[in-house]
Amino acid sequence: MKKILAVTIITLSVFASCKKDQVAEPVEITPKAPKEAQIVEPSGDQCYASTGASKIELSYNVNSHQEVNGKLSYNIAGKDKNEGTVIGNMKGDTLIADYTFMSEGVSSIREVAFIEREGILYEGYGDVVEANGKVSFKDKKLLKFDQKNTLTKVDCKAE
């Protein structure tokens, strides 16, 4: 009985996850559905950086449970630099994490999203809400990933 219930729940969740709203934008990248249960080896340290006047750097580690922890920094031209930590999860090819950072002497938390395609990370954006001192995406299914915020894979710096 428990096996039948478990199989039914898994089957329903697979069907429910397949129903995704598709928005017709030429530069939008749609996340792939997470893979079904499998043993995943830790991927080790991953490092990415943007190029140009504005600099974004992300380094993280993914463990065997697809949990992510690492560091993220934004040094955007004309804005205050902020840097902090990311803690989250990989869901298929998408990283969803809480970014805890200091900016102008104030500690803040906001949700960030990145999708990986062929060694390039695309930063996600969408409508946000603030609750309990944290800025989160209103609906992760409606996130947009475009080519203006890209990070390429780089060698990790020795710390």
Side-chain angles (χ1 to χ4, degrees):
M1 182 67 176
K2 289 181 183 180
K3 288 181 182 180
I4 293 173
L5 181 60
V7 170
T8 303
I9 290 172
I10 290 172
T11 304
L12 289 175
S13 66
V14 169
F15 286 128
S17 69
C18 291
K19 295 180 182 180
K20 297 200 184 277
D21 295 334
Q22 298 292 327
V23 178
E25 283 189 30
V27 295
E28 184 176 338
I29 300 171
T30 310
K32 295 178 185 172
K35 296 177 184 171
E36 291 201 27
Q38 64 183 23
I39 298 174
V40 180
E41 292 297 317
S43 60
D45 291 334
Q46 306 287 315
C47 297
Y48 294 85
S50 64
T51 57
S54 297
K55 198 77 160 161
I56 302 171
E57 294 179 333
L58 172 63
S59 62
Y60 62 90
N61 186 292
V62 182
N63 70 18
S64 60
H65 299 289
Q66 298 300 289
E67 298 166 334
V68 173
N69 63 46
K71 295 180 181 179
L72 176 61
S73 69
Y74 289 89
N75 194 359
I76 308 297
K79 295 189 177 188
D80 288 338
K81 179 179 180 177
N82 60 62
E83 55 189 5
T85 60
V86 288
I87 298 175
N89 293 291
M90 290 299 295
K91 295 180 187 329
D93 56 2
T94 307
L95 166 63
I96 304 288
D98 286 342
Y99 173 45
T100 304
F101 62 98
M102 290 292 291
S103 182
E104 298 181 2
V106 177
S107 179
S108 302
I109 302 172
R110 76 174 170 91
E111 199 167 40
V112 294
F114 293 92
I115 191 168
E116 191 273 330
R117 291 285 192 266
E118 298 175 7
I120 298 174
L121 284 183
Y122 298 90
E123 187 169 10
Y125 63 94
D127 292 336
V128 295
V129 293
E130 184 175 351
N132 301 321
K134 176 183 169 184
V135 176
S136 301
F137 294 114
K138 191 181 279 188
D139 187 350
K140 292 176 191 63
K141 294 176 187 168
L142 299 177
L143 289 176
K144 295 181 179 14
F145 300 87
D146 70 10
Q147 297 179 2
K148 71 177 185 174
N149 296 321
T150 61
L151 290 84
T152 55
K153 195 163 189 127
V154 297
D155 291 334
C156 294
K157 299 173 186 174
E159 292 186 30

